[in-house]
Amino acid sequence: MNEPDLHYPADNCPFCTIAAAYPPSSSPLWTSKEEDLLGCVPSGDVDPEKTTPGSFVVLASRDVVAFLDILPMVGGHLLVATRGHRVKVADMGGGEGREMGFWLPVLSRVVSQVTGVKDWNIVQNNGARAAQVVPHVHFHIIPRPESRPEIKSKSWTMFGRGQRDELDDEEGVRLAGEMRRVLREEIVKMNERPKL
């Protein structure tokens, strides 16, 4: 069954806009050295105003981009999206799936370390009835602090419905910068681990 309300063109997609603003590293992930993986992490001051609304990018690889949710459930709520416009997971190619599978555990460690939260959800929705809001494949890495924030409506749920506030630009810049720093450290650590 087609869901025309969820299939809009890539040129209107906010995630495609972010992906276009942050070009991928040139090296294929699977033949890369540490330097090439580090090239997937934007360096220097990353200007959130490259896109409208602003974006706080943490990763820009060949097939995956990661950025802070601008309506986070909690601080550190990270979105990990395909670079190409794919509406549902079933639309992804094998290479995209492989790269997504590579980055999700790495970025999970980064979110945990930066937020100090040891529990998190990884959530992915496919279609409107499954609570997908932006029709572009993306995974949510949502830190779960020990205590939930005070919720006025008591409707804070696991899958993103309920009370959410806009991400403050200064906090977004700070948090994304810290995540990029920790991601670089994580890449170096991965390359220092013994190979099987």
Side-chain angles (χ1 to χ4, degrees), residues 104-127:
L104 280 170
V106 175
L107 291 166
S108 292
R109 291 190 296 270
V110 168
V111 168
S112 177
Q113 186 173 339
V114 169
T115 62
V117 174
K118 301 303 176 209
D119 297 320
W120 64 89
N121 293 104
I122 295 179
V123 178
Q124 198 281 323
N125 305 317
N126 288 280

Side-chain angles (χ1 to χ4, degrees), residues 72-136:
M73 291 182 66
V74 295
H77 181 165
L78 188 69
L79 301 180
V80 186
T82 55
R83 178 172 289 283
H85 188 73
R86 310 287 180 261
V87 175
K88 295 182 178 182
V89 165
D91 300 329
M92 291 171 63
E96 291 169 314
R98 184 177 180 186
E99 189 166 329
M100 185 67 73
F102 174 83
W103 287 115
L104 280 170
V106 175
L107 291 166
S108 292
R109 291 190 296 270
V110 168
V111 168
S112 177
Q113 186 173 339
V114 169
T115 62
V117 174
K118 301 303 176 209
D119 297 320
W120 64 89
N121 293 104
I122 295 179
V123 178
Q124 198 281 323
N125 305 317
N126 288 280
R129 287 183 296 282
Q132 185 180 22
V133 176
V134 177
H136 184 124

Side-chain angles (χ1 to χ4, degrees), residues 56-76:
F56 306 94
V57 174
V58 174
L59 173 80
S61 71
R62 187 179 69 180
D63 291 321
V64 174
V65 290
F67 45 92
L68 293 173
D69 193 318
I70 60 170
L71 288 172
M73 291 182 66
V74 295

